[in-house]
Amino acid sequence: MNKILFVYPHNFLEPNMGTNIRVYSLAKELRAKGFKIDLFAFRNFISKYDRFEDQNKEKLVNQLYLYDYRNTSSFKRRKGLGKYLNKLFSRGELDNWVTPGMQRQFNEIVSSVEYDYIVMFYAYTAELLSPANYKGTASKVYFMEDLLSVSHFISRRTKSIGRSLDSEIQRVSYFDKIVCISSDEKTLFEKLLPNKSFYFLPHLIGRKESGKKAVAQVTKVLFIGYDNEYNIEAMRWFFQNVYSRLLTGIEIMVVGKVVKHINVDYPNLKKVEYVESLDELYKTVDIVICPLRNGTGMKIKVIEAMSYGIPVVCTSRGVDGLPDKNENGCLVEDTPEAFAEAINRLATDKLFYKKCQDRIDAYFSETLDWNVHNVMLARLFEHKSSVNAVRFNELPYSVFATKEWCRV
C-alpha cells in the first residue's frame, strides 16, 4: 500500500475550521483510493489530541507523530498563544516555524519509513523540505490553501509585501507539485514559478440534496466560521451595518467559535458554538451569508452552501478562488445597503430565490463538483509499485499506534 505523510500542524479530525474540513476531505478521498496516511502535527499549539483515537474511528490516520511546540524558545517566551501567533506575522519575511528539534524529528520519521508522497499545507513548515534539509526521494506535494504573504499584508502587520512574498515563492519552489484551492492563486504562482507543475483543485465535495425548494415563511440565514480575525471582522461589519436593514422576521444563525466575539444579544439571533452535523445544519437554512472583508484562498463555507443549492449572499471576498467571479450563482454585494437588499429579496421573492438556486446548482455541477476533479486527484497521486515492509522501534513522540503502524 502506498504511503503518504501529511505535514499539518492541526488535528484535521476536529471539524471546527474550514482548512480542517478541507484536509479531512482530502484524507478521506485518498484513503478510499487505497493510500495509507500518517500525520505529522503539533502538540501544544492549537489543536488537542486527547480524543484523537475516538475521532479517528474511520482510520484515516494510520500513525500520528506529534512535535511538542513547548520545546521551542518562542513558546517559552510567550505569555499567551494569541500574542505569539500575532508576533509570527510581524516580521518582514514569511514566518518559519521549523526549529532544529522539529527538523531532527521529521528527519527521523522520513528516514525510518519509505513514503511515496509528503504532503504539506502551510509554507510556514516548508523548510523541512528544503534541498539543504531533505534528501529523500518522496514526491513533495504542496496544497496551497491560502496565499500567506498576502494575508500578512492585508492584516496590516507588515508595511511591505516584498520580503514576505519572496520567501513564500522560495518555499513553494521546494515542491514537485503545487495544488491550489484558489484559481486566482494558481494563475499568479504559475507565472512566478513557470517551471513548476500547478493544479486547481477546489474543496472536495459532491453535490448534495437539501430538500428545500422554496423559502419558508420565516427565512433562516446562516453564517458559519472559526474565530479567526477575518470572520470576526465580517460579523462586526454585518451586525453594525447590515443587520438593521433586514426585514423583520428574518432569523440569523451564527455557528462556530466566532460566536464568542458577538457580545450583543440581537433580536432573532441564534448563536451556536458547535453543531454535531453540518449536513443537518445546512438542511435547515435558506440563505448562507459570507460578509468577509479580507482573506485569501477559497471560502469553504461558500462552497458547502453551493453544494446544497443554497443561495449565497457575499462580498467580493466570498467568491475568491472561483474561476468565474460573475456567473457563479452567488449574489455579490459590497455595500451594506445592497447586501441587505439581496437578503430581503431572497426572503420575499420566491421566483428570484428559485432562480438563484438553479444558477448555483448549474455552476457547482459544472465547475466545482467532486466528480469533475476526481480524475485529476488520481493523476496527482498515482500509485507506485509496492515496497518492502520496513520495521523500526516505536518513537517516543508517537502517541497513536495500531498493530499495523510500522508497515509501508
Side-chain angles (χ1 to χ4, degrees), residues 119-137:
V119 177
M120 196 173 288
F121 300 87
Y122 288 112
Y124 300 131
T125 56
E127 288 299 330
L128 290 171
L129 295 175
S130 70
N133 293 328
Y134 177 70
K135 307 299 183 183
T137 60

PDB file of all heavy atoms in Angstrom, residues 119-137:
ATOM      1  N   VAL A 119       2.995  15.427   1.863  1.00  0.00           N
ATOM      2  CA  VAL A 119       2.005  16.449   1.527  1.00  0.00           C
ATOM      3  C   VAL A 119       2.002  17.505   2.621  1.00  0.00           C
ATOM      4  O   VAL A 119       1.874  17.184   3.804  1.00  0.00           O
ATOM      5  CB  VAL A 119       0.600  15.825   1.375  1.00  0.00           C
ATOM      6  CG1 VAL A 119      -0.435  16.905   1.101  1.00  0.00           C
ATOM      7  CG2 VAL A 119       0.604  14.792   0.251  1.00  0.00           C
ATOM      8  N   MET A 120       2.136  18.768   2.227  1.00  0.00           N
ATOM      9  CA  MET A 120       2.203  19.878   3.180  1.00  0.00           C
ATOM     10  C   MET A 120       1.143  20.907   2.825  1.00  0.00           C
ATOM     11  O   MET A 120       0.772  21.059   1.662  1.00  0.00           O
ATOM     12  CB  MET A 120       3.600  20.489   3.162  1.00  0.00           C
ATOM     13  CG  MET A 120       3.929  21.384   4.339  1.00  0.00           C
ATOM     14  SD  MET A 120       5.680  21.893   4.339  1.00  0.00           S
ATOM     15  CE  MET A 120       6.489  20.354   4.791  1.00  0.00           C
ATOM     16  N   PHE A 121       0.684  21.660   3.848  1.00  0.00           N
ATOM     17  CA  PHE A 121      -0.423  22.588   3.657  1.00  0.00           C
ATOM     18  C   PHE A 121      -0.095  24.025   4.039  1.00  0.00           C
ATOM     19  O   PHE A 121      -0.890  24.917   3.776  1.00  0.00           O
ATOM     20  CB  PHE A 121      -1.642  22.113   4.454  1.00  0.00           C
ATOM     21  CG  PHE A 121      -2.120  20.749   4.050  1.00  0.00           C
ATOM     22  CD1 PHE A 121      -1.583  19.604   4.626  1.00  0.00           C
ATOM     23  CD2 PHE A 121      -3.090  20.607   3.076  1.00  0.00           C
ATOM     24  CE1 PHE A 121      -2.014  18.346   4.251  1.00  0.00           C
ATOM     25  CE2 PHE A 121      -3.523  19.350   2.688  1.00  0.00           C
ATOM     26  CZ  PHE A 121      -2.987  18.211   3.274  1.00  0.00           C
ATOM     27  N   TYR A 122       1.030  24.250   4.692  1.00  0.00           N
ATOM     28  CA  TYR A 122       1.440  25.607   5.064  1.00  0.00           C
ATOM     29  C   TYR A 122       2.906  25.809   4.712  1.00  0.00           C
ATOM     30  O   TYR A 122       3.751  24.989   5.076  1.00  0.00           O
ATOM     31  CB  TYR A 122       1.254  25.859   6.560  1.00  0.00           C
ATOM     32  CG  TYR A 122      -0.179  25.988   7.018  1.00  0.00           C
ATOM     33  CD1 TYR A 122      -0.754  25.013   7.826  1.00  0.00           C
ATOM     34  CD2 TYR A 122      -0.945  27.094   6.654  1.00  0.00           C
ATOM     35  CE1 TYR A 122      -2.062  25.129   8.257  1.00  0.00           C
ATOM     36  CE2 TYR A 122      -2.258  27.212   7.077  1.00  0.00           C
ATOM     37  CZ  TYR A 122      -2.817  26.231   7.881  1.00  0.00           C
ATOM     38  OH  TYR A 122      -4.108  26.345   8.298  1.00  0.00           O
ATOM     39  N   ALA A 123       3.210  26.920   4.056  1.00  0.00           N
ATOM     40  CA  ALA A 123       4.600  27.237   3.738  1.00  0.00           C
ATOM     41  C   ALA A 123       5.411  27.566   4.985  1.00  0.00           C
ATOM     42  O   ALA A 123       6.635  27.620   4.926  1.00  0.00           O
ATOM     43  CB  ALA A 123       4.658  28.415   2.759  1.00  0.00           C
ATOM     44  N   TYR A 124       4.734  27.761   6.117  1.00  0.00           N
ATOM     45  CA  TYR A 124       5.447  28.002   7.372  1.00  0.00           C
ATOM     46  C   TYR A 124       6.362  26.828   7.739  1.00  0.00           C
ATOM     47  O   TYR A 124       7.358  27.007   8.431  1.00  0.00           O
ATOM     48  CB  TYR A 124       4.462  28.207   8.529  1.00  0.00           C
ATOM     49  CG  TYR A 124       3.527  29.375   8.366  1.00  0.00           C
ATOM     50  CD1 TYR A 124       2.153  29.220   8.570  1.00  0.00           C
ATOM     51  CD2 TYR A 124       3.999  30.644   8.040  1.00  0.00           C
ATOM     52  CE1 TYR A 124       1.289  30.286   8.445  1.00  0.00           C
ATOM     53  CE2 TYR A 124       3.133  31.712   7.905  1.00  0.00           C
ATOM     54  CZ  TYR A 124       1.774  31.527   8.114  1.00  0.00           C
ATOM     55  OH  TYR A 124       0.921  32.592   7.984  1.00  0.00           O
ATOM     56  N   THR A 125       6.012  25.619   7.296  1.00  0.00           N
ATOM     57  CA  THR A 125       6.809  24.431   7.622  1.00  0.00           C
ATOM     58  C   THR A 125       7.601  23.912   6.422  1.00  0.00           C
ATOM     59  O   THR A 125       8.176  22.833   6.477  1.00  0.00           O
ATOM     60  CB  THR A 125       5.898  23.306   8.153  1.00  0.00           C
ATOM     61  OG1 THR A 125       4.870  23.025   7.196  1.00  0.00           O
ATOM     62  CG2 THR A 125       5.259  23.694   9.481  1.00  0.00           C
ATOM     63  N   ALA A 126       7.639  24.687   5.345  1.00  0.00           N
ATOM     64  CA  ALA A 126       8.252  24.197   4.104  1.00  0.00           C
ATOM     65  C   ALA A 126       9.751  23.978   4.220  1.00  0.00           C
ATOM     66  O   ALA A 126      10.315  23.179   3.464  1.00  0.00           O
ATOM     67  CB  ALA A 126       7.957  25.163   2.956  1.00  0.00           C
ATOM     68  N   GLU A 127      10.425  24.655   5.154  1.00  0.00           N
ATOM     69  CA  GLU A 127      11.874  24.467   5.287  1.00  0.00           C
ATOM     70  C   GLU A 127      12.227  23.032   5.671  1.00  0.00           C
ATOM     71  O   GLU A 127      13.370  22.608   5.491  1.00  0.00           O
ATOM     72  CB  GLU A 127      12.459  25.445   6.298  1.00  0.00           C
ATOM     73  CG  GLU A 127      12.505  26.890   5.810  1.00  0.00           C
ATOM     74  CD  GLU A 127      13.370  27.072   4.570  1.00  0.00           C
ATOM     75  OE1 GLU A 127      14.350  26.309   4.403  1.00  0.00           O
ATOM     76  OE2 GLU A 127      13.063  27.967   3.764  1.00  0.00           O
ATOM     77  N   LEU A 128      11.268  22.272   6.169  1.00  0.00           N
ATOM     78  CA  LEU A 128      11.517  20.848   6.413  1.00  0.00           C
ATOM     79  C   LEU A 128      11.930  20.138   5.132  1.00  0.00           C
ATOM     80  O   LEU A 128      12.655  19.137   5.171  1.00  0.00           O
ATOM     81  CB  LEU A 128      10.256  20.177   6.980  1.00  0.00           C
ATOM     82  CG  LEU A 128       9.833  20.540   8.398  1.00  0.00           C
ATOM     83  CD1 LEU A 128       8.444  19.953   8.684  1.00  0.00           C
ATOM     84  CD2 LEU A 128      10.844  20.033   9.425  1.00  0.00           C
ATOM     85  N   LEU A 129      11.476  20.665   4.001  1.00  0.00           N
ATOM     86  CA  LEU A 129      11.712  20.016   2.709  1.00  0.00           C
ATOM     87  C   LEU A 129      12.662  20.800   1.810  1.00  0.00           C
ATOM     88  O   LEU A 129      12.769  20.508   0.614  1.00  0.00           O
ATOM     89  CB  LEU A 129      10.374  19.815   1.983  1.00  0.00           C
ATOM     90  CG  LEU A 129       9.391  18.848   2.654  1.00  0.00           C
ATOM     91  CD1 LEU A 129       8.069  18.832   1.907  1.00  0.00           C
ATOM     92  CD2 LEU A 129       9.978  17.454   2.724  1.00  0.00           C
ATOM     93  N   SER A 130      13.362  21.765   2.357  1.00  0.00           N
ATOM     94  CA  SER A 130      14.323  22.499   1.545  1.00  0.00           C
ATOM     95  C   SER A 130      15.433  21.548   1.100  1.00  0.00           C
ATOM     96  O   SER A 130      15.714  20.544   1.760  1.00  0.00           O
ATOM     97  CB  SER A 130      14.915  23.652   2.340  1.00  0.00           C
ATOM     98  OG  SER A 130      15.773  23.170   3.356  1.00  0.00           O
ATOM     99  N   PRO A 131      16.082  21.823  -0.032  1.00  0.00           N
ATOM    100  CA  PRO A 131      17.163  20.939  -0.502  1.00  0.00           C
ATOM    101  C   PRO A 131      18.257  20.728   0.534  1.00  0.00           C
ATOM    102  O   PRO A 131      18.894  19.671   0.562  1.00  0.00           O
ATOM    103  CB  PRO A 131      17.688  21.671  -1.739  1.00  0.00           C
ATOM    104  CG  PRO A 131      16.526  22.477  -2.223  1.00  0.00           C
ATOM    105  CD  PRO A 131      15.790  22.904  -0.988  1.00  0.00           C
ATOM    106  N   ALA A 132      18.477  21.711   1.400  1.00  0.00           N
ATOM    107  CA  ALA A 132      19.526  21.573   2.416  1.00  0.00           C
ATOM    108  C   ALA A 132      19.118  20.643   3.547  1.00  0.00           C
ATOM    109  O   ALA A 132      19.968  20.043   4.212  1.00  0.00           O
ATOM    110  CB  ALA A 132      19.874  22.949   2.987  1.00  0.00           C
ATOM    111  N   ASN A 133      17.798  20.474   3.754  1.00  0.00           N
ATOM    112  CA  ASN A 133      17.321  19.710   4.909  1.00  0.00           C
ATOM    113  C   ASN A 133      16.772  18.332   4.566  1.00  0.00           C
ATOM    114  O   ASN A 133      16.794  17.431   5.408  1.00  0.00           O
ATOM    115  CB  ASN A 133      16.244  20.504   5.646  1.00  0.00           C
ATOM    116  CG  ASN A 133      16.786  21.761   6.293  1.00  0.00           C
ATOM    117  OD1 ASN A 133      17.945  21.795   6.712  1.00  0.00           O
ATOM    118  ND2 ASN A 133      15.961  22.800   6.370  1.00  0.00           N
ATOM    119  N   TYR A 134      16.244  18.154   3.354  1.00  0.00           N
ATOM    120  CA  TYR A 134      15.593  16.886   2.996  1.00  0.00           C
ATOM    121  C   TYR A 134      16.308  16.248   1.818  1.00  0.00           C
ATOM    122  O   TYR A 134      16.461  16.863   0.758  1.00  0.00           O
ATOM    123  CB  TYR A 134      14.122  17.125   2.648  1.00  0.00           C
ATOM    124  CG  TYR A 134      13.409  15.866   2.208  1.00  0.00           C
ATOM    125  CD1 TYR A 134      13.136  14.846   3.115  1.00  0.00           C
ATOM    126  CD2 TYR A 134      13.021  15.694   0.880  1.00  0.00           C
ATOM    127  CE1 TYR A 134      12.492  13.687   2.713  1.00  0.00           C
ATOM    128  CE2 TYR A 134      12.367  14.541   0.478  1.00  0.00           C
ATOM    129  CZ  TYR A 134      12.119  13.533   1.389  1.00  0.00           C
ATOM    130  OH  TYR A 134      11.487  12.385   0.993  1.00  0.00           O
ATOM    131  N   LYS A 135      16.745  14.997   2.002  1.00  0.00           N
ATOM    132  CA  LYS A 135      17.483  14.271   0.963  1.00  0.00           C
ATOM    133  C   LYS A 135      16.722  13.045   0.461  1.00  0.00           C
ATOM    134  O   LYS A 135      17.275  12.226  -0.254  1.00  0.00           O
ATOM    135  CB  LYS A 135      18.839  13.822   1.512  1.00  0.00           C
ATOM    136  CG  LYS A 135      19.683  14.935   2.129  1.00  0.00           C
ATOM    137  CD  LYS A 135      20.034  16.026   1.131  1.00  0.00           C
ATOM    138  CE  LYS A 135      20.926  17.083   1.768  1.00  0.00           C
ATOM    139  NZ  LYS A 135      21.221  18.194   0.835  1.00  0.00           N
ATOM    140  N   GLY A 136      15.456  12.928   0.848  1.00  0.00           N
ATOM    141  CA  GLY A 136      14.690  11.741   0.484  1.00  0.00           C
ATOM    142  C   GLY A 136      14.194  11.769  -0.949  1.00  0.00           C
ATOM    143  O   GLY A 136      14.420  12.729  -1.697  1.00  0.00           O
ATOM    144  N   THR A 137      13.492  10.723  -1.326  1.00  0.00           N
ATOM    145  CA  THR A 137      13.022  10.561  -2.705  1.00  0.00           C
ATOM    146  C   THR A 137      11.512  10.679  -2.851  1.00  0.00           C
ATOM    147  O   THR A 137      10.993  10.532  -3.954  1.00  0.00           O
ATOM    148  CB  THR A 137      13.457   9.193  -3.252  1.00  0.00           C
ATOM    149  OG1 THR A 137      12.900   8.155  -2.422  1.00  0.00           O
ATOM    150  CG2 THR A 137      14.970   9.077  -3.274  1.00  0.00           C
TER     151      THR A 137
END
